[in-house]
Amino acid sequence: MLRQLFASGLFIAAGTLVQAAAESYDYIVVGSGPGGAPLAANLARAGYSVTLLEAGLDLGDNKNFSEIANFIAAGNDEKSRWDFFVKHSDDEAREAKYEKTTWKTPDGSFYVGLEPPEGSTRLGIYYPRAATLGGCAMHNGGICTLPNDADWDYIAELTGDDGWLAKNMRKYFEKMEANEYLPPDTPGHGYVGYVNTTISDPSFMAQDSDLQKLTSLLISETGGDAARDVNAADPDRDQSTGVFGMASHADKNGKRTGTNTLLKRTLADPAKYNLTIQLETLVTRVIINWEDGKPSATGVEVLRGSHQYEADPFYNGTRGQFGRIFAKKEVIIAGGSFNSPQILKLSGIGPAEELEKFHIPLVKDLPGVGENLGDNYEAGLQSLASKSLNGSAGATVTVFLKTPTARKVRNIQAWCGSFSFEGFWPGFPTDYGPTQYECAMVHINPRSQAGHVRLRSNDPQQMPEINFNFFAEGGDEDLTELLDAAKTFRKAIHAAGPPITPFTERHPCPGVNQECTDEAQKEFIKLQSYSHHATSTCAIGKAEDPMAVLDSKFRVHGVRNLRVVDASAFPKVPGAFPVCPTFMLAEKASADILAELKNEH
């Protein structure tokens, strides 16, 4: 199929593009992740000409990316990786204690740890992103969990736009989903969409095994069952805790679905929708027109060629072919929470003082661009059993908790099974063998969103400076919630008894039946927590809020014909896993844009 698409001219590779005098489309969409891909497809299917610009290649036929079980290989694959390195704070002493710190050694290789070879350069905390057709939905673990309803309702309250209410957002989930694990009449789900959803096979619970026993103990401690629908349209879902099946955006054959598959389906449709995908095309800035004395987006400038961005492992400083592409209607940025604010700033839209520092002409002073960076804190209770654990390799379940000091809604989502996951570093993860068991925890609604994405220069090929400022506000409360969750999981699995126990815990309280203080365990979590769900750097909010970047319809405040539609738009981190919420966000943006077009006529 791919060869046919290239032959038809619907795919445009950087090396084969014939430059037109004025290349133009109704819509330009920058980025092909779960924000940009559905939006581009929906606009094209509605009859508009759309070009989708992606800096990477199409790897949809590569099994590392097409098969959800290979997500670790995908995350480590140089063909798609953009290697960002971030900070968790401004405290250098604290940063120096992060055990998975990454360094560049004198021979050019990576070293991970705290004792690098002499002459090594500290890079920081590894935070990989995916530059490929389909974006980060092509290398993630694929977990598809909707946020608490309260997260949607918060945006509605913030903006006064009832379209964001959870009861109204549900229809976008139903539109995008192709559910494969429930009866087709189950309310609140979709069955003909483009995001196939499946759950971890609960049949392992019918067979005696170590993993079945450990899961049964989790159920005894927290409630639920391994087949429970994690995305059920339950009016009390924000309070619903215990064990659930782990839902993924993959089909029953383990094929990853969503972004790449939707784009391919749209290109191959006999209706011949007017969608053009341009690969290896790095957007460097938005072109601004000043008609009527007001700024309006009219196109983008690009660099065409492979490995054009510094985060690319193969980047060598070569500058690609310069080009301009024009939009008759709108430019829509969907580059993700790091690159969308970078593009806006390079276009003169952002904090005036920062832009002046790098001699970027000011278009619109928006102090919130690149600020408000948030993420879920992640940690884990990781232990080694006294014996090799038998049972199904797919015996992994989701667990929701509402810890004693939680605010109004459940605050922890975990997934538990015989695996090891301790964050990201080149070559992650560490496999501790058949005795390993972990409950990996994701903290929902962190109290602090004090991070930032700021320019290092006005060079569009250079990575920005990224600091999450973890635990800057409400840190002790959030750490207490994570520790209380770890205690719950520890109590559950330690009840297994011999020969599975005693467990040798790796963290947060190393050893066998150790008596670690709460403070020691919280300090470990604070120093070693990690994340991979960056959001909110182009946050939605009212125009009178100086830190708001977008209105409730994704329009950039003060700049016409320019929107941002990706995870950076969320005013706060949505739930525990943002990929499916971002698909829903893209569906809402599509509906908003098409409704405006209808009202124009």
Side-chain angles (χ1 to χ4, degrees), residues 396-555:
T396 302
V397 293
T398 287
V399 187
F400 271 101
L401 300 178
K402 185 179 181 183
T403 63
T405 59
R407 289 161 286 179
K408 295 181 179 180
V409 299
R410 57 191 181 176
N411 60 330
I412 300 290
Q413 181 176 346
W415 68 105
C416 299
S418 182
F419 62 85
S420 168
F421 189 75
E422 302 168 282
F424 296 87
W425 60 89
F428 78 95
T430 301
D431 186 341
Y432 297 99
T435 67
Q436 65 189 7
Y437 193 85
E438 181 170 354
C439 285
M441 305 178 296
V442 183
H443 184 270
I444 298 170
N445 298 146
R447 288 169 172 82
S448 183
Q449 289 202 192
H452 62 249
V453 175
R454 294 175 183 165
L455 298 177
R456 297 180 190 272
S457 73
N458 61 11
D459 181 353
Q461 294 179 285
Q462 186 174 35
M463 288 183 285
E465 183 260 319
I466 302 165
N467 188 333
F468 281 89
N469 280 319
F470 270 10
F471 304 108
E473 301 165 9
D476 190 64
E477 293 94 329
D478 286 345
L479 288 165
T480 295
E481 293 176 5
L482 283 161
L483 177 57
D484 284 342
K487 289 178 178 179
T488 296
F489 295 127
R490 183 183 292 137
K491 178 183 177 183
I493 67 172
H494 281 214
I500 295 175
T501 64
F503 280 101
T504 300
E505 189 168 315
R506 294 202 68 257
H507 50 72
C509 181
V512 178
N513 296 324
Q514 295 296 307
E515 295 292 334
C516 299
T517 66
D518 285 1
E519 289 309 309
Q521 293 179 79
K522 283 157 67 172
E523 181 69 4
F524 176 88
I525 294 170
K526 180 178 181 179
L527 293 176
Q528 307 306 329
S529 60
Y530 53 91
S531 67
H532 60 301
H533 303 151
T535 69
S536 309
T537 49
C538 299
I540 287 171
K542 290 185 176 180
E544 53 267 30
D545 177 358
M547 299 305 291
V549 178
L550 312 174
D551 70 9
S552 71
K553 308 295 187 188
F554 307 92
R555 295 172 294 212

Side-chain angles (χ1 to χ4, degrees), residues 150-282:
D151 289 352
W152 298 123
D153 293 345
Y154 169 78
I155 305 176
E157 181 180 358
L158 179 72
T159 62
D161 182 348
D162 285 350
W164 285 101
L165 289 171
K167 64 181 182 181
N168 295 324
M169 291 299 296
R170 189 80 191 192
K171 63 178 177 286
Y172 300 121
F173 178 63
E174 295 173 14
K175 178 179 182 292
M176 73 186 222
E177 188 187 24
N179 186 284
E180 296 188 14
Y181 63 91
L182 292 169
D185 58 350
T186 305
H189 284 277
Y191 301 89
V192 296
Y194 56 89
V195 180
N196 300 65
T197 58
T198 48
I199 61 168
S200 48
D201 185 356
S203 64
F204 77 93
M205 291 299 292
Q207 303 166 354
D208 287 338
S209 71
D210 297 333
L211 295 178
Q212 183 270 347
K213 182 173 186 177
L214 290 167
T215 304
S216 294
L217 291 168
L218 289 170
I219 293 170
S220 295
E221 183 66 27
T222 68
D225 69 73
R228 190 159 53 142
D229 179 17
V230 72
N231 291 323
D234 178 357
D236 200 35
R237 69 185 306 273
D238 290 9
Q239 308 299 327
S240 186
T241 59
V243 172
F244 294 80
M246 189 170 74
S248 299
H249 60 92
D251 67 18
K252 61 185 178 182
N253 297 315
K255 297 293 185 182
R256 187 184 291 273
T257 63
T259 49
N260 188 287
T261 51
L262 171 63
L263 293 169
K264 297 285 186 57
R265 187 187 307 174
T266 303
L267 292 176
D269 196 292
K272 298 188 182 302
Y273 297 115
N274 197 348
L275 173 64
T276 304
I277 296 174
Q278 305 196 40
L279 303 173
E280 297 190 313
T281 303
L282 178 73

